[in-house]
C-alpha cells in the first residue's frame, strides 16, 4: 500500500496548500493524510516540532508495517520531515520538498547539527522558487550542495512562497 503524507508550512494559510496537494495527488495513492498543526488552533505563532513529530509518530504507527510512505512537505513542514526522518519517526520511500527554509533553520533548529539534512538517504527532490521571498533560494542551493547533493534541486520560477505549479511538479515526481 502506498500512503501519501502531506506536511504543510507553518502558517494556517498553508492548510489550503496541503488540501490542494491532497486533491491533486491522492488519486494516485492508496491513502493519504495531512498533518494539521496544533498551533493553527491555539493561535501560537509557530509550529512546535516536538509535538508535531509525536503526532506524526502516532500516525505512522497506525499504518500497516508494509505501507510505503511518500512524503510531501512544504516550508516548515520540510524541516519537520527532516527531523522526523532523522529521528526515525518516519521511514518514507520518497520525499518531496517545496521551499525548504534552511536559512531560517540555520540559526536555531539546525544550528548545532546539519545531520537531519546530511544523513538523509531517502530519494528526495526539492522544488525551490528562485524568487521565493520567504526563504533564500541561494542558501538552500548551497546547503543542499554542501550537505546532501543527492537531493535533486529543481529550480522553479514562481515569485512567491505558495508552490502551486503542479504541471512542473508532475514532470519530476514519480508517483
Amino acid at each position: 500500500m502506498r500512503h501519501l503524507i502531506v506536511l504543510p508550512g507553518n502558517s494556517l494559510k498553508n492548510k489550503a496548500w496541503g488540501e490542494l496537494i491532497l486533491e491533486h495527488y491522492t488519486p494516485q495513492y492508496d491513502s493519504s493524510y495531512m498533518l494539521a498543526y496544533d498551533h493553527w488552533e491555539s493561535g501560537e505563532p509557530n509550529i512546535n516540532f516536538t509535538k508535531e513529530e509525536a503526532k506524526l509518530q502516532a500516525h505512522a504507527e497506525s499504518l500497516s508495517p508494509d505501507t510505503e510512505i511518500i512524503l510531501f512537505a512544504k516550508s516548515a513542514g520540510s524541516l519537520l520531515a527532516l527531523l522526523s526522518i532523522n529521528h526515525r519517526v518516519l521511514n518514507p520511500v520518497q520525499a518531496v520538498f517545496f521551499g525548504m527554509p534552511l536559512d531560517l533553520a540555520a540559526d536555531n533548529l539546525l544550528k548545532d547539527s546539519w545531520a537531519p539534512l546530511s544523513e538523509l538517504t531517502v530519494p528526495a527532490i526539492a522544488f525551490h522558487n528562485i524568487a521565493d521571498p520567504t526563504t533564500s533560494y541561494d542558501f538552500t542551493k548551497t546547503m543542499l550542495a554542501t550537505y546532501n547533493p543527492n537531493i535533486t534541486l529543481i529550480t522553479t520560477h514562481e515569485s512567491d512562497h505558495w508552490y502551486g505549479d503542479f504541471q512542473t511538479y508532475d514532470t519530476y515526481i514519480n508517483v
Side-chain angles (χ1 to χ4, degrees):
M1 182 170 103
R2 291 168 37 85
H3 182 68
L4 174 63
I5 294 179
V6 176
L7 304 177
N10 185 62
S11 72
L12 181 56
K13 70 181 177 182
N14 285 288
K15 181 178 179 187
W17 176 87
E19 290 167 348
L20 287 173
I21 290 289
L22 287 174
E23 180 181 320
H24 186 78
Y25 289 105
T26 293
Q28 301 167 36
Y29 295 92
D30 298 306
S31 60
S32 62
Y33 169 79
M34 181 180 80
L35 185 63
Y37 304 132
D38 287 353
H39 77 283
W40 290 349
E41 295 292 325
S42 72
E44 293 175 45
N46 293 308
I47 188 172
N48 179 320
F49 289 101
T50 303
K51 188 183 287 187
E52 300 305 337
E53 192 173 314
K55 288 170 45 183
L56 261 181
Q57 182 168 13
H59 176 72
E61 289 173 352
S62 75
L63 300 171
S64 171
D66 63 340
T67 301
E68 291 184 342
I69 295 172
I70 296 83
L71 191 59
F72 283 27
K74 177 183 182 269
S75 196
S78 297
L79 302 175
L80 177 60
L82 289 173
L83 293 171
S84 297
I85 294 167
N86 187 257
H87 297 151
R88 294 177 176 41
V89 166
L90 291 179
N91 185 24
V93 297
Q94 181 184 17
V96 180
F97 302 110
F98 301 85
M100 296 177 83
L102 298 177
D103 53 335
L104 304 178
D107 291 338
N108 49 40
L109 195 61
L110 299 176
K111 69 178 180 177
D112 295 324
S113 172
W114 286 89
L117 182 61
S118 66
E119 295 174 3
L120 183 74
T121 59
V122 172
I125 57 177
F127 295 99
H128 203 106
N129 290 333
I130 199 163
D132 188 324
T134 302
T135 182
S136 168
Y137 169 83
D138 290 332
F139 189 88
T140 297
K141 181 179 177 181
T142 299
M143 293 297 101
L144 291 178
T146 302
Y147 289 106
N148 198 326
N150 293 321
I151 297 174
T152 302
L153 176 63
I154 307 296
T155 304
T156 50
H157 299 281
E158 296 171 278
S159 60
D160 56 21
H161 190 63
W162 177 247
Y163 293 90
D165 184 1
F166 293 111
Q167 185 175 1
T168 297
Y169 310 147
D170 290 350
T171 304
Y172 297 96
I173 295 173
N174 297 322
V175 178

